[in-house]
């Protein structure tokens, strides 16, 4: 049961492929530079937390991302159009947040 805010990622984790913090008590915003140095990230699992704020633009630098799971948080704003840059993305779970905008 992790709690508190998400710290910035050290710059020496270039080979990291998966971050799974599902079902914890993480709070606050995702750091803006969180994904600046994670070029090999393939899976991000942060559902069932208390995260708020917007999806940081640095996420769209993760060109290898295949799975994005942010459901059941308190995220807000609109889903950035840059999500289309994630050409390897296969699954996205973002329900049960406070996102706004049109849905298809």
């Amino acid at each position: 049961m992790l709690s508190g805010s998400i710290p910035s990622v050290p710059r020496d984790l270039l080979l990291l492929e998966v971050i799974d913090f599902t079902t914890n008590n993480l709070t606050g915003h995702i750091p803006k530079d969180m994904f600046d140095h994670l070029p090999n990230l393939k899976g991000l699992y942060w559902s069932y937390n208390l995260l708020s704020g917007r999806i940081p633009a640095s996420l769209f630098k993760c060109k290898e991302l295949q799975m994005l799971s942010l459901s059941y948080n308190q995220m807000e704003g609109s889903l950035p159009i840059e999500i289309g840059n994630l050409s390897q993305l296969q699954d996205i779970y973002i329900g049960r947040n406070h996102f706004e905008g049109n849905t298809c």
Side-chain angles (χ1 to χ4, degrees):
M1 291 305 297
L2 299 174
S3 62
S5 59
I6 298 171
S8 293
V9 173
R11 296 180 188 259
D12 59 349
L13 296 178
L14 295 172
L15 300 178
L16 187 66
E17 292 186 2
V18 175
I19 300 174
D20 188 346
F21 292 146
T22 303
T23 314
N24 283 286
N25 289 312
L26 298 174
T27 59
H29 296 231
I30 300 170
K32 291 182 181 185
D33 63 348
M34 176 81 197
F35 306 101
D36 282 346
H37 304 286
L38 296 174
N40 295 304
L41 191 65
K42 293 184 172 133
L44 181 64
Y45 304 89
W46 283 351
S47 292
Y48 297 96
N49 279 285
L50 301 168
L51 298 172
S52 60
R54 299 177 178 268
I55 296 175
S58 63
L59 177 65
F60 308 112
K61 295 179 181 181
C62 299
K63 302 295 185 189
E64 301 297 318
L65 194 65
Q66 298 172 8
M67 167 62 101
L68 176 61
S69 182
L70 295 172
S71 56
Y72 293 91
N73 277 289
Q74 298 171 6
M75 309 276 311
E76 59 193 29
S78 58
L79 194 58
I81 196 165
E82 291 85 2
I83 194 128
N85 296 341
L86 301 176
S87 61
Q88 300 297 315
L89 194 61
Q90 297 172 11
D91 295 302
I92 180 171
Y93 301 98
I94 58 170
R96 303 292 182 179
N97 279 288
H98 304 291
F99 291 120
E100 59 193 40
N102 296 331
T103 59
C104 299

